Each structure stands twice: as C-alpha cells, then as structure tokens.
Amino acid sequence: MGDIHLINARILAACLAAALLVTGCATTAAEGPKITRPKLDPKADANPFPSTYKPFANSPTAFVGATIFTGTGDKIENGTLLIKDGKIEAVGANVAVPAGYTTINAKGKYVTPGIIDAHSHLGVYAQPGGQALSDGNEAVSPNTAEVWAEHSVWPQDEAFNAVRRGGVTSLLILPGSANLFGGRSVTLKNVPARTMQAMKFPDAPYGLKMACGENPKRVYGTKNQPPATRMGNVAGYRKAWLEASKYAMKWDGYYAADSKGEAPDRDLKLDTLAGVLNGEILVQNHCYRADEMAIMIDIAKEFGYKISAFHHGSEAYKVADLLAKEDICVATWAGWWGFKMESIDGIEANAALVHAAGGCAVIHSDDAILSQRLNQEAAAALAAGRRQGLKISDAEAIKWITANPAKMMGIADKTGSLEAGKMADVVLWNANPLSIYAKTEKVFVDGALMYDRNDKNYQPKSDFMLGQPKGGE
Amino acid sequence: MTRFAILLALFATLFANIATADTVAITNARIHTMGKAGDVEGTVLIHNGWVAQVGPRVRVPANAIVIDAKGGAVTPGFFIVGTNLGALEVDLVKETNDTATTNSGLSAAFNIAYGIDASAVAIPVARLGGVTRALVTPSYADAEDRELLFAGQAAVITLAEGANPVTRSRVAQVLELGEGGAARAGGARGSAITALRADLDDVRWYARRRGAYNTGGTRDLRFTKADLDALIPVVQGRTKLIVGVHRAADIREVLKIAREYRLKIVLSGAEEGWMMADEIARARVPVLLNPTANLPSSFEARGSTMENAARLHTAGVTIAIANGDGASRLREARYNAGNAVAHGLPHNAALAALTINPARIFGETKVGSIERGKQADIVVWTGDPLEPSTQPIAVLIKGVQQPMDSRADELARRYRTLGTPYPPAYRD
C-alpha cells in the first residue's frame, strides 16, 4: 500500500516536472534566452544573500527610574534611557524626558542592552530536532569552508522565540565543530521572520568556524582519514591556509592588472579562507585547551590573520595573559565541563579569571536551553570569580553577555551597549538580571517592541507551534 | 569561647580537614527544616552525626563546634535524582564511563553500584552546590543493536568525603519508554509496550516457578535468569520502577500498565506531565523532572513548558528535581529549582523537590529534613540557596564538615597569578 502511494507520487512528480519544462521552454523560445553570467569574480557580488531586515515600527520611548546596566561596565541607579528612531538617544541619571515620548515607569526594574549569544546553533539544529533538522555539521570533509550556516537556518525554529523571552536580541549562528573548517557563520537579529535574509544583521561581518582538538580528529580519524591526531589537525589548517594564500595572491594580481587579464578559477572554499586573510571574515575558533590556543595563535601569525575569539575555551584561564595580549575574546560557559577530555579542566571561574587578566570574557550558550538564561550563567560565573577573591561588579559581568560578544562578532559599533547612536536593542527586566528569579518584561530590537510578557499581542510563536499542545512559555 | 569555636570551625573549613567533633551547633540560622516545624530561626544542634535539637532556644554546649550562619539559610543537603555522578569521570572517555552496557544479554540486572568511584572529581564540585546525596541511575548505550528495554538498577550514594559512596544499591529499576523505548524495541510504541507487557508476564510467571526454572522445567523466557531475578521485586511492587516518558499519551499508557500490574512507578522527564496532572496525582505517582526543559525538543515534548513543575505541584503531584545534564552539572540543580520558582512553584516546594521529596520517593527515611533524629546532612548558605550569588558556608554530611574545596578550585588558585618565575606546576 505504501509502495502504491510512492509510485503514484513519483508519476505525479514526473508529470509536473515535464509540464514545467515545457512551459519553461515555451517562454524562453518566445522571449529569447536572457543569459546571466555566473559571478566569476568574488568581488563582483560579495553579498549574494543580502539582508532584507528592516527595523519594525517604533516610537520614541523613555524608560524612567530604572537601574540601568549600560553594557559599558557602568550602572546607573534611578536612571533614564531614551530611545528614538530605533537608536539609543540618551542614557543617564539626569536625563529629561522630552514631550511626545511613551514613558515606561521602570522604578524597581532593570534595563540592559539586548543579550547577545555569541555561540548559537538556532535554526541550524532547529526544534523539534531529529535528522530532518540536523543541518549544522557538514561532516563529510575536514575542510568545508565553502558552506554557509545561513543556508541551513530555519526561521521557524521555535527556539528563536524562547531565547528572545530570555532577552537575546542578536545571535551568532555557527556551523558545528566536526571539521577543521566548518564554514561561515551568520549574525542574526532575533526577530520573527519568514526568511533567513529578513533576520540577517545588516552589515555584520561574516565569521569562519574553525575547530581544534578532539572533534575533527575523532570524526575523521575513526573513518581512517586525516586528521586522526592533533598534529594532523594542524597540518590540515596549514595546508588550507597555504592554498588560500596562493589563491588570494592570484586574485591580488588580477585586480592589480585592473581586472583585465584572465580571471583565476573561482573557488567557494577558498573565497571564504581568502576573506579571512583579507581581514574581511572573522575567525571563530572552537578550542578547549590552553596549549592548543597558543598553537592556533602561532598559525594565525604565520599566515597573517587574526583570531576573533576562542569558543568554549575551557582552559582560557591558563593563558589569560596571552589572550589579553593578543586581543582574543573567550566565549565560554560557567557550568559546563568534564563531558570530554579536553574540557576536564573547565572551571566556573574561567570567565572571571579571563576578565581579571584584562581580557575579553564572553558567556555563550551552544545550547537552546542555556541561551534562554545567559544572564544566570553570567551570574554563576561572577559568583565563582568572587569566590576566588576577584573583585568584579555586577555591571562589568553584564558586559560578558552584551558588549563583549558584540566585540567578538564585529558589531560593537552597532549594538551591545546603551550608548547614544547605537541600535536600541534593549531589555526591561522585573529584577536584577543576575538573580535567578529575574524575568524579562519587554524586549526591544532596534527600538521596536518584539516581546512583552504582559501583552499577548507581543508574544510571537513559530508556525511549528500552531496546533500543538498549548504549554505556554 | 564562642569566638574560639568559630575560629576552629573556620580552620576546619579552610584546611579541608574533616572535623570530627561529636557536637556541632549551627547558630543564627534561617532553618528550612522541610519538616513539620517549617521554617525556624535559631540553632541546629548536631550530636554524633544526628540532629539533636532545632529551634530558637537551643542551648549550645561548651564543647560544641559552632558554625555561625550569620542569618543565612540552612537547608537539608540536596538529594538529586537521575544523575550519573560517580559512575563516570569523563563522558567521552569510555573507559571511565560505567553508566550503561552494550551487552545484549544484560538488561534489568545491570547494577550501576559496581561502577561507582568515590574519587570522581565531580563529587566535590557537586557538594559545593549543596548536594549531599544522589540517586545514580543507569542509562542506555545504544551504539549496539540492543533490543532490551530495561536500563538496570539504580543506587543511592552519599557525597561524604572518604566514605564508601554507595549507601544502598538496587534502589530502583530504570526503564525508558516513548521514542527511545520504541527505537529499542523495533521502532514503534506498539512493540515496546507489547514487549514490556510480555516481559512483566514472564517475570510474574517465573517468580512463582523459580524452582522449576533451575531444573529446566519452564517455558522459554526472553530474559536471562539475572534479569528475571532483578525484576521480581519490581513486579511485586517492592522496588520502584522509574519510567522515562515525555508525552501525555505515553504517560496515560504507563499509568494504565502500572495500575494493571500493580507496579510502584515514578515518572521521569514528563514534559507533558501538566496535561495529565490530575491523573498522575490520583495515581499518587511522583515525577522527577528538569524544570528548564521548555522547548519542543522532540515530537514527544511539544507541550513542554517552564510551568510544568508548578502545575504538577498545584495538582498535588510530588515532584523532585532531576538532573539530566550529567554529573558535572549537578551543582546547577538549585538553579533549575530557582527557575521553577520564577515560573510559579512556591519557594518551599522547590526546596522540597531538592530534599524531602526525593528522600520520601526513594525511601531514604533518615535524610531530607532537619528534624530531631534525622541524619545531619545539612548545608549552611550565605543567602537564598537558589540564587547563583549565594555560596555554601559549610556542608555537613552525617554531622561531619566536608572540605570546601574541589579540583576545579585548585585549578583556579593555581592559575590566579600568571607569569610567575616558576611554572604553575610547582604550585598546589
């Protein structure tokens, strides 16, 4: 019975395809073929999947009487925040509210910049999971720099709505860590949308996911192909960078001759790697162990690129001085450790120790549940630091989930802090966000209200949730 | 005198020596007794490892070690269920992982207790999260084609330094149904439930004919003798059967089987439990859950919500906080409980779900509350125990102060100062 259905479906599909072909041919024949040359020059169309995101309707709004964590390390008691035209207009203790502003009485409440999750797989490993939605790891070759995470993002992943309720307004969506080069990351604005492009953070730089250590050598070593060891990993990176350097030089020569010569053969994989070498694409490097971070830094120097951040970085505290000197952020957890050998030395105080050494500490999630509570994870990391005797203020710890992730994602000039002129990505909390009991009340993206805990009109749900059991939040 | 006692207590704490004084007094405390007395301000007096007195007017003997709670909270030590603490060191280092078997000839008889190691470095880390006791449950190793339903037998462990961790083995039997159970039984619930019923029938039949079985005088049974023996107390209702299940329809089916076979079951997971709350309450079936499991992470968890814990509690279901995130993250159990409070569970009910409820569910009658005659498993906190900013001041197990240190803390201290002339390897 199942087979009969299958056969019928096949016949139907074949008919449809034939019909389409005929129609297509007819049209072409009538109007003449319109030939578009493929983009043989990577610079001719460097942005083939452009952002279509536009801020939603917003009106000038004043948050009055709040405790404000600015994301710059400051805390303002009884402060006022003004947002207008989707931007931060003013913030301070003595800011007058101009006429025509919607005033939110925020007495006893807290205001922070929108939370930024710098390590997310939302959309690429969408709810409800399973093989059908497992789109994060192109684990077929150790170098898949040619794949882009954005082409796997399913905007109907309900987790986008869940993490927005947790205050997350921007996300770095990464491919998985099976490969030495996992592919390009994409930065998203956390707004409900029909297409990935409508979530794409305008003018955010691309990232390249790289992975150290156990994952690549396990995934490929067990298939009896390189890399099977850590030294195999390093050989794999260097071979790829050599090839990319040669590729970049070929294009440099082509451009130097005013693009008049024969164009080099274009290669999507090498486009991405050359983008790193040209400083246009940021390296987001999954790496747990301190000694491996030091090796990755040397490789970056050998080939002349910069590492934007080490992700997970369980042992970052062991080389916190080196990471601060090299200006490399560390995106890590507080509570996760011990699940694999390279995470055995992960400690709760990691972020606090990196911060205390003058480095850029980031609390990330890598997980759709944890991403809903990055504020709590930062609180646990802060408490662990204080337990080690470090003096770190609440306001500084808020940077770990706002300004610092913005920095490692290359969007710190646009969001991540409540400074005049930046995007009005703002969260209103009912209590200090470092408390376990704090909940978001309102979440604004570019000044537009995208979530309101007390107003059903601002509680979006994905298509997938229609017709499902109504569990609520 | 008192000041000297405080110093002594502090000394014991700092240098991780195990204080062995017969008498310990925790003073200036907000005591969540989790017993009939409710919350009490005052002193807990501990004698020889047992709670002797609790109340506002307790006289502190001169020879007592005094722990000044400075107005902080005092709770029973947390008893976390559904963990693999002690049964593994590093998940992906398989030699250190004793949580499951791929042996296709072994199912219900699998005994997690034999794989528990007191040296597991996650134990002190969990203890610093206020955990003093755990129910360690076996899981499944699905790498092999293993068509056996039961995961095996759970054990209760103490987190006391230097102790043999296993205080009681064969405490409960573990079974996963739902998608996982179906996959293990041929890919459909129809086969998993049918196989389960057939197996339970087999065990009942076997229980009455063990003599004949030993002389070869019985029919063919799917399970080995070891598995059948392990399941006898389950079908006799003497051992709890923990059933991992998620969607409402599966919960309904499990309740029905439990009623029919007179099994004493405990639901685990139960993300859609709120949809069956009244039925679960009527059946007096407890639920082990993770309050933060709110995503439609599978087709059997589409109704997941942060309010599951609160709704089940309101319906009268006894809940306990389970930790599905592995041994290394046991310390987060209190945060998970705090999140349940943020979504409607009363604070005291959340503390109960970490202490007295799991104790009652698994028959640990000597722990779970701070009452005269109970074992002194007690944690002294700087503030609200569910807040990340709160830290433990002291952890006592059977009245003995535990080291307030862990391997993670040693690493943090070793690397706090970098760039010293000699490498960190020369530091403790």
Side-chain angles (χ1 to χ4, degrees):
Chain A
M1 172 131 171
D3 284 348
I4 292 169
H5 278 294
L6 204 64
I7 289 162
N8 285 342
R10 274 190 203 137
I11 292 167
L12 188 67
C15 294
L16 274 171
L20 284 172
L21 269 177
V22 171
T23 321
C25 287
T27 313
T28 313
E31 297 171 5
K34 195 180 164 195
I35 297 165
T36 310
R37 297 271 177 232
K39 305 289 188 205
L40 296 176
D41 175 352
K43 288 196 176 161
D45 185 4
N47 190 19
F49 307 93
S51 168
T52 59
Y53 167 77
K54 293 272 182 308
F56 293 88
N58 62 84
S59 57
T61 304
F63 302 76
V64 180
T67 302
I68 302 173
F69 289 124
T70 58
T72 58
D74 292 328
K75 175 181 172 182
I76 303 166
E77 304 275 8
N78 195 17
T80 296
L81 168 71
L82 301 181
I83 61 176
K84 191 187 177 189
D85 299 330
K87 304 282 189 227
I88 306 293
E89 188 182 16
V91 61
N94 300 303
V95 173
V97 180
Y101 280 60
T102 305
T103 297
I104 294 171
N105 179 1
K107 275 209 166 36
K109 296 175 182 176
Y110 284 69
V111 169
T112 66
I115 306 300
I116 301 174
D117 192 346
H119 192 114
S120 172
H121 299 297
L122 263 53
V124 302
Y125 287 108
Q127 310 296 321
Q131 197 277 331
L133 292 168
S134 175
D135 286 311
N137 250 327
E138 187 70 4
V140 296
S141 161
N143 183 352
T144 59
E146 70 274 23
V147 304
W148 298 20
E150 64 199 62
H151 301 138
S152 280
V153 169
W154 188 37
Q156 298 296 342
D157 183 354
E158 176 61 15
F160 285 118
N161 296 318
V163 307
R164 192 181 311 106
R165 289 197 295 269
V168 174
T169 56
S170 301
L171 306 123
L172 181 65
I173 310 295
L174 293 151
S177 50
N179 303 343
L180 301 175
F181 298 92
R184 286 197 200 195
S185 62
V186 63
T187 298
L188 300 179
K189 281 265 176 185
N190 192 9
V191 293
R194 290 176 294 161
T195 65
M196 170 279 296
Q197 291 89 331
M199 302 176 77
K200 219 168 161 180
F201 195 115
D203 303 318
Y206 274 109
L208 168 65
K209 173 76 175 284
M210 292 178 65
C212 299
E214 288 182 28
N215 287 8
K217 79 178 191 111
R218 183 185 62 245
V219 170
Y220 296 99
T222 52
K223 293 178 187 168
N224 209 18
Q225 75 178 80
T229 59
R230 283 184 164 82
M231 59 189 174
N233 286 353
V234 172
Y237 309 128
R238 296 178 76 212
K239 270 169 76 174
W241 289 125
L242 277 175
E243 200 185 348
S245 301
K246 200 168 155 192
Y247 181 74
M249 281 167 69
K250 273 192 206 163
W251 281 105
D252 287 347
Y254 172 73
Y255 296 130
D258 293 332
S259 308
K260 282 177 185 145
E262 193 187 341
D265 286 345
R266 190 173 167 198
D267 183 304
L268 292 177
K269 183 185 294 181
L270 296 172
D271 275 356
T272 294
L273 298 181
V276 170
L277 298 177
N278 292 335
E280 293 152 6
I281 296 176
L282 307 180
V283 169
Q284 307 293 352
N285 200 337
H286 158 121
C287 210
Y288 284 87
R289 252 169 47 181
D291 57 314
E292 289 188 87
M293 293 182 209
I295 289 172
M296 296 312 289
I297 290 170
D298 279 351
I299 296 171
K301 286 181 178 166
E302 182 183 12
F303 292 97
Y305 66 90
K306 186 178 179 320
I307 298 164
S308 194
F310 286 118
H311 291 240
H312 312 332
S314 296
E315 294 189 1
Y317 65 95
K318 297 184 183 180
V319 286
D321 49 351
L322 174 65
L323 300 174
K325 187 172 117 242
E326 298 293 335
D327 191 29
I328 298 171
C329 292
V330 176
T332 188
W333 306 278
W336 294 28
W337 68 284
F339 43 90
K340 60 205 301 204
M341 192 60 205
E342 61 193 1
S343 76
I344 191 172
D345 285 358
I347 62 173
E348 249 183 331
N350 191 26
L353 287 166
V354 166
H355 175 95
C360 163
V362 173
I363 295 292
H364 71 354
S365 80
D366 195 18
D367 175 66
I369 293 277
L370 184 59
S371 186
Q372 300 173 50
R373 279 175 285 282
L374 284 171
N375 53 313
Q376 295 176 10
E377 191 74 357
L382 175 63
R386 287 175 178 166
R387 213 174 136 250
Q388 295 303 327
L390 303 175
K391 301 238 179 307
I392 302 171
S393 69
D394 285 4
E396 284 178 287
I398 291 293
K399 287 168 69 176
W400 302 346
I401 51 174
T402 56
N404 289 1
K407 177 185 160 154
M408 62 177 267
M409 289 156 65
I411 53 173
D413 56 329
K414 300 178 180 70
T415 188
S417 61
L418 303 177
E419 294 176 285
K422 290 204 179 169
M423 292 166 165
D425 298 340
V426 179
V427 183
L428 177 68
W429 305 81
N430 68 346
N432 184 336
L434 298 178
S435 164
I436 205 85
Y437 307 117
K439 291 198 280 194
T440 60
E441 282 195 359
K442 295 178 199 292
V443 178
F444 296 83
V445 177
D446 285 302
L449 181 62
M450 303 311 291
Y451 172 70
D452 189 329
R453 189 171 299 273
N454 302 309
D455 187 342
K456 289 263 180 253
N457 293 315
Y458 294 92
Q459 297 176 357
K461 53 180 174 289
S462 65
D463 291 352
F464 178 75
M465 294 314 289
L466 297 178
Q468 310 288 12
K470 300 276 183 285
E473 191 176 325
Chain B
M1 185 63 221
T2 315
R3 188 165 296 167
F4 174 70
I6 293 170
L7 273 174
L8 199 67
L10 202 67
F11 191 82
T13 307
L14 280 177
F15 293 93
N17 287 331
I18 293 166
T20 50
D22 293 340
T23 305
V24 180
I26 302 166
T27 61
N28 297 319
R30 283 187 297 113
I31 308 153
H32 299 285
T33 67
M34 309 318 297
K36 285 198 191 77
D39 294 349
V40 175
E41 308 264 333
T43 298
V44 182
L45 193 68
I46 298 157
H47 193 62
N48 285 334
W50 302 90
V51 175
Q53 286 182 71
V54 183
R57 283 176 298 276
V58 173
R59 202 185 62 80
V60 177
N63 67 340
I65 285 186
V66 175
I67 301 169
D68 185 351
K70 294 179 181 155
V74 168
T75 64
F78 297 154
F79 177 12
I80 306 304
V81 297
T83 176
N84 46 27
L85 183 68
L88 93 172
E89 196 66 39
V90 180
D91 301 51
L92 293 188
V93 179
K94 64 181 180 191
E95 298 83 356
T96 75
N97 190 333
D98 282 297
T99 61
T101 179
T102 55
N103 181 343
S104 58
L106 192 62
S107 176
F110 179 80
N111 190 339
I112 194 98
Y114 300 130
I116 302 222
D117 184 1
S119 299
V121 296
I123 290 177
V125 171
R127 207 161 49 208
L128 291 174
V131 182
T132 56
R133 212 167 194 74
L135 179 79
V136 186
T137 43
S139 49
Y140 292 87
D142 285 327
E144 307 290 317
D145 201 19
R146 186 168 172 273
E147 292 197 349
L148 292 170
L149 289 173
F150 293 91
Q153 304 173 95
V156 170
I157 65 166
T158 172
L159 276 66
E161 174 83 355
N164 172 11
V166 180
T167 61
R168 205 150 60 90
S169 64
R170 307 174 198 276
V171 175
Q173 179 63 236
V174 177
L175 166 72
E176 187 188 10
L177 289 176
E179 284 179 11
R184 244 165 255 126
R189 286 171 171 82
S191 63
I193 300 287
T194 307
L196 173 63
R197 285 174 173 276
D199 290 338
L200 292 172
D201 287 336
D202 275 2
V203 177
R204 282 175 153 190
W205 194 88
Y206 166 79
R208 292 191 299 270
R209 295 170 182 82
R210 289 173 79 185
Y213 182 97
N214 288 332
T215 55
T218 65
R219 64 179 170 92
D220 282 348
L221 300 167
R222 190 164 81 100
F223 282 147
T224 62
K225 180 176 174 349
D227 286 340
L228 292 164
D229 284 336
L231 285 168
I232 287 177
V234 173
V235 298
Q236 292 176 343
R238 291 186 286 116
T239 293
K240 293 263 162 63
L241 177 64
I242 301 172
V243 188
V245 75
H246 307 283
R247 72 185 193 190
D250 289 341
I251 293 171
R252 182 178 293 115
E253 201 57 45
V254 169
L255 291 177
K256 198 171 147 197
I257 292 172
R259 203 164 48 237
E260 249 177 75
Y261 284 86
R262 293 190 195 145
L263 307 175
K264 289 271 188 295
I265 64 163
V266 178
L267 298 178
S268 170
E271 286 83 352
E272 291 188 355
W274 62 274
M275 296 164 70
M276 295 290 294
D278 291 338
E279 290 87 339
I280 299 170
R282 255 199 313 278
R284 295 179 183 278
V285 168
V287 174
L288 320 178
L289 54 80
N290 181 345
T292 66
N294 70 331
L295 288 172
S297 54
S298 66
F299 273 91
E300 59 183 351
R302 288 178 283 180
S304 300
T305 166
M306 291 296 292
E307 291 178 8
N308 194 30
R311 291 177 195 169
L312 286 169
H313 170 76
T314 302
V317 177
T318 301
I319 58 168
I321 304 293
N323 179 283
D325 300 318
S328 58
R329 293 177 63 198
L330 220 54
R331 62 185 167 198
E332 295 171 38
R334 62 190 181 108
Y335 309 149
N336 292 345
N339 277 293
V341 174
H343 291 86
L345 186 69
H347 191 270
N348 218 51
L351 284 180
L354 292 165
T355 56
I356 189 70
N357 290 0
R360 284 194 180 131
I361 295 167
F362 294 104
E364 292 282 297
T365 54
K366 294 296 176 196
V367 298
S369 64
I370 304 175
E371 295 176 285
R372 190 185 166 86
K374 286 268 186 136
Q375 182 172 313
D377 290 8
I378 294 174
V379 184
V380 185
W381 303 92
T382 57
D384 179 345
L386 306 186
E387 284 280 17
S389 57
T390 297
Q391 296 294 315
I393 297 167
V395 178
L396 290 86
I397 300 180
K398 223 170 182 177
V400 178
Q401 285 197 60
Q402 300 297 307
M404 299 302 285
D405 206 6
S406 69
R407 182 173 178 277
D409 284 346
E410 289 185 51
L411 282 163
R413 283 199 299 277
R414 171 176 267 195
Y415 285 96
R416 250 200 73 178
T417 310
L418 301 169
T420 49
Y422 261 57
Y426 290 90
R427 297 197 284 271
D428 279 338

